[in-house]
Amino acid sequence: MVTIVMSPNWFRGIDSLFEVVSLITCLLVAYFGFKIYDFANQRKYKTVAFSFLAIALSFAIKVITNLSIYFQYNKLKLSLLSAMASTFPVITSKIIEIQLIYYAGYFAYRFLFLLGLILLLSTVLRVSDKRILSIFIVFSIIAAFFSYYYYYTFHIISTVLLFYIFLYFYENYSIKKLKSARYLTISFFLLLISQLVFIFVMFDSEVYVFGEVTQLVGFLVLLYYYFTVSKK
Amino acid sequence: MRRNKIEIINDILASIQNKNGKIKPTHLLYKSNLSYKKMNEYIAELIEKDMMNEKKVDKNKYYIITDKGLKFISEFKKMRDFTESFGL
């Protein structure tokens, strides 16, 4: 049996609302990155902007996928309740439809999220060799999509990528002691914790709520960072 | 460390801003840390882009920063903060 939704019943829909906040935050940072690129005309700003744009798109796809699954799931429950009138093939086709939405939506979500993190990490670590970057992307994608435990593999890879991004931001903050660098470091620390928490969803679905809340707070700190930097 | 073009432009404009918006060419030459030839090239470009103006007061020549020049300084600050916070 495939577990399609990790969210507990009472939290369904609220998680999508949280992710809309994350999506808006990433879009704002991406927009700001493009603005800086326009001003300075240096590729590194464009790459940072694209990394946040990829993460924003990943959340947009996750929200649409989750809402579609919740909607289809409710429809399925109704047809099961109105019951015996429903025939078996109708219910089976509904389940297949939900699974297809899940696989397609989450495939795109995982791809864009990892792509965003890889682009960000390669920019801050100054990986300019495109061959190294492409190997990096291919291996992450293969591991996240074609492994048997793709859910856990995806969150483990995200955790590792976020750990190195956080470490870089922390070292940068230790040297420069800037307020804005501190917000960025806190934000990525919380995002790292949230990915780590998502790995342990198997123990209890309430853990998913904790992961989502931590992620939301991480993105709210990033939103605060955006306002402090862009409104100077 | 070698400055790039926008850093030099920012230094020129910031020098004018720090002198209450107007500066004498000799002061600007000293503050901008450029050769006379290079400074004139930048000044010509900045005047053409409407970021600064030239004005004569009692036989003295002054360079004056415009609103567009002030806007450039503000955008540069945002860029620098973004760059430094990301460690780029």
Side-chain angles (χ1 to χ4, degrees):
Chain A
M1 196 183 87
V2 180
T3 308
I4 285 184
V5 178
M6 299 292 180
S7 178
N9 273 338
W10 64 269
F11 196 59
R12 285 176 197 168
I14 301 173
D15 53 353
S16 296
L17 203 67
F18 283 15
E19 272 143 11
V20 168
V21 175
S22 312
L23 152 71
I24 292 168
T25 304
C26 289
L27 276 181
L28 287 172
V29 178
Y31 168 73
F32 190 60
F34 282 121
K35 244 179 88 178
I36 299 283
Y37 169 69
D38 241 16
F39 179 76
N41 201 21
Q42 290 177 37
R43 222 179 68 180
K44 59 187 179 185
Y45 300 114
K46 193 165 73 172
T47 318
V48 171
F50 270 120
S51 71
F52 280 96
L53 186 64
I55 296 171
L57 284 175
S58 79
F59 279 116
I61 289 168
K62 193 180 175 191
V63 168
I64 293 167
T65 307
N66 276 346
L67 292 179
S68 309
I69 290 171
Y70 299 156
F71 178 70
Q72 295 292 341
Y73 177 74
N74 285 336
K75 261 172 61 181
L76 179 65
K77 257 195 342 199
L78 277 178
S79 59
L80 278 170
L81 285 173
S82 66
M84 305 306 137
S86 290
T87 56
F88 181 72
V90 172
I91 292 168
T92 313
S93 75
K94 268 272 165 272
I95 291 170
I96 292 170
E97 199 181 318
I98 292 173
Q99 281 188 340
L100 278 176
I101 293 170
Y102 168 77
Y103 284 120
Y106 270 72
F107 183 92
Y109 159 68
R110 287 195 297 265
F111 172 72
L112 288 166
F113 191 80
L114 286 179
L115 183 70
L117 292 183
I118 290 168
L119 283 177
L120 187 58
L121 186 61
S122 66
T123 311
V124 294
L125 295 183
R126 290 160 182 81
V127 181
S128 53
D129 193 327
K130 281 182 182 149
R131 289 167 298 183
I132 297 173
L133 197 61
S134 59
I135 291 169
F136 206 20
I137 292 171
V138 168
F139 278 115
S140 298
I141 287 166
I142 288 173
F145 301 114
F146 301 107
S147 78
Y148 187 72
Y149 299 104
Y150 53 82
Y151 173 85
Y152 301 106
T153 319
F154 164 68
H155 287 296
I156 290 166
I157 293 173
S158 301
T159 304
V160 173
L161 292 171
L162 279 164
F163 172 73
Y164 284 111
I165 295 171
F166 158 71
L167 201 66
Y168 181 84
F169 286 157
Y170 177 73
E171 284 167 357
N172 181 53
Y173 167 68
S174 309
I175 297 164
K176 291 177 184 154
K177 299 279 179 205
L178 282 171
K179 252 187 193 174
S180 52
R182 185 170 64 202
Y183 298 139
L184 205 58
T185 309
I186 294 169
S187 162
F188 276 82
F189 173 71
L190 290 167
L191 296 180
L192 162 67
I193 296 298
S194 70
Q195 288 301 314
L196 197 64
V197 169
F198 285 136
I199 298 170
F200 299 100
V201 165
M202 60 186 136
F203 296 119
D204 188 350
S205 67
E206 299 294 325
V207 171
Y208 178 82
V209 178
F210 181 62
E212 282 282 331
V213 171
T214 313
Q215 184 174 262
L216 174 71
V217 178
F219 278 110
L220 286 175
V221 176
L222 187 65
L223 189 64
Y224 187 70
Y225 160 81
Y226 163 77
F227 284 120
T228 53
V229 181
S230 66
K231 302 291 171 209
K232 280 198 169 169
Chain B
M1 215 169 93
R2 205 161 172 258
R3 293 176 296 171
N4 63 29
K5 192 177 173 180
I6 56 169
E7 283 169 333
I8 294 171
I9 291 173
N10 181 66
D11 287 348
I12 292 172
L13 294 172
S15 302
I16 307 174
Q17 189 191 29
N18 291 339
K19 284 273 180 181
N20 294 322
K22 69 176 194 180
I23 197 169
K24 283 182 176 174
T26 44
H27 284 141
L28 186 59
L29 182 64
Y30 169 71
K31 294 271 181 188
S32 63
N33 204 15
L34 290 167
S35 68
Y36 181 72
K37 191 178 166 230
K38 270 278 163 205
M39 189 190 78
N40 280 335
E41 281 173 19
Y42 274 103
I43 286 172
E45 189 182 334
L46 292 177
I47 289 173
E48 194 197 313
K49 287 182 176 169
D50 199 26
M51 290 194 202
M52 60 191 271
N53 286 326
E54 200 180 288
K55 197 177 174 185
K56 278 201 170 172
V57 181
D58 302 332
K59 289 182 185 172
N60 289 318
K61 192 159 89 174
Y62 287 95
Y63 292 119
I64 295 162
I65 192 164
T66 62
D67 287 344
K68 206 173 163 189
L70 291 170
K71 175 104 171 67
F72 181 95
I73 293 174
S74 149
E75 291 299 310
F76 184 86
K77 274 182 191 158
K78 288 179 192 173
M79 185 206 76
R80 195 170 46 198
D81 209 8
F82 185 79
T83 310
E84 289 189 349
S85 56
F86 270 89
L88 296 173

